[in-house]
Amino acid sequence: MTPPTVPPTPVRVLLADDQTLVRAAFAMLVESAKDMEVVGQAGTGREAVRLARSERADVVVMDLRMPDLDGIEATRLIAADDDLAGVRVLVLTTYDTDEYIVEALRAGASGFLVKDTKPAELLDAIRTVAAGEALLSPGPTARLIARLLRSPAPPPAAAAGPECLSGREREVLTLVARGLNNTEIAESLGLSPLTAKTHVSRIMGKLGARDRAQLVIVAYESGLVTPGTAQG
């Protein structure tokens, strides 16, 4: 007898934004998706950190500008908490806050989106981040990279640099920094998707990176990837 199919566990989403109407709109959107649910809403950064701990969210959709504690510091506290190792932060920003995106990624955010993103794209972004992928919104990415390369050298985002990687791993890291997912990396290098996934996992382990977003930062800060090669 075939066992009954067990439905997948919904992605648990925490919404953090200081505007009540914005949170309400996002909540309606998320709840409309069968594969995710809203487990909490926060109006301040400290509340976001508290709810991330108490509600065990999978993804925190975090506005950068919030009272009490801004989104960057809230992200840093979540990323630094070993008990919240499985929580991913998706930052929402506007074009006039691009200067904070690099800080948010270094703080531990898994990606960012601009606030005028289409509803379906926001849901896809939540799914992407929940699956452990990095998500960089196409619009401001070029300016983000340029700003990253112009900024003074910050503390490293990961424990090591790409010099510790094999030649194949450096190729994979380059493709991760270009925004390719595991399937696309596999097709580009003639590998199986499982092999590509294994390479990415090993790279994160060697570099001490929390997720793929940190791999992107390492690739650019080390000079392994430049804006010109990123578009390839």
Side-chain angles (χ1 to χ4, degrees), residues 16-227:
D17 195 295
D18 64 336
Q19 298 182 48
T20 303
L21 288 177
V22 171
R23 291 201 310 272
F26 284 159
M28 291 180 61
L29 174 63
V30 172
E31 290 289 358
S32 73
K34 295 180 179 180
D35 59 341
M36 57 186 73
E37 62 180 340
V38 176
V39 296
Q41 298 185 40
T44 71
R46 292 191 189 282
E47 189 177 13
V49 175
R50 178 178 63 80
L51 289 176
R53 290 170 175 157
S54 65
E55 301 303 323
R56 314 307 299 179
D58 297 312
V59 176
V60 180
V61 179
M62 181 83 74
D63 185 26
L64 283 183
R65 291 182 173 178
M66 287 193 297
D68 188 16
L69 188 72
D70 67 35
I72 293 173
E73 289 305 316
T75 297
R76 184 172 287 114
L77 289 175
I78 291 171
D81 191 332
D82 290 340
D83 290 336
L84 299 178
V87 179
R88 297 291 180 256
V89 177
L90 175 63
V91 166
L92 289 181
T93 183
T94 54
Y95 283 112
D96 63 344
T97 58
D98 280 357
E99 63 267 25
Y100 302 116
I101 295 173
V102 174
E103 292 181 60
L105 292 176
R106 289 186 182 128
S110 294
F112 69 90
L113 280 178
V114 292
K115 277 195 170 182
D116 62 356
T117 295
K118 295 178 180 178
E121 292 175 348
L122 174 59
L123 294 179
D124 284 342
I126 292 173
R127 295 183 184 104
T128 297
V129 171
E133 300 281 346
L135 193 287
L136 301 179
S137 180
T141 297
R143 281 184 291 159
L144 164 66
I145 293 168
R147 192 184 305 276
L148 176 64
L149 294 176
R150 289 198 307 268
S151 63
E163 62 277 358
C164 69
L165 303 178
S166 68
R168 173 62 84 185
E169 289 168 343
R170 288 166 68 90
E171 288 180 318
V172 171
L173 177 57
T174 298
L175 296 179
V176 169
R178 286 174 50 193
L180 276 64
N181 60 34
N182 290 343
T183 300
E184 292 166 337
I185 291 172
E187 292 175 352
S188 178
L189 298 178
L191 307 172
S192 71
L194 178 58
T195 299
K197 181 179 180 180
T198 300
H199 277 306
V200 172
S201 296
R202 286 177 178 170
I203 292 168
M204 285 195 287
K206 286 185 177 182
L207 299 183
R210 186 172 188 267
D211 57 23
R212 294 169 79 107
Q214 287 195 332
L215 294 184
V216 174
I217 292 176
V218 171
Y220 282 105
E221 289 186 337
S222 67
L224 178 65
V225 178
T226 65

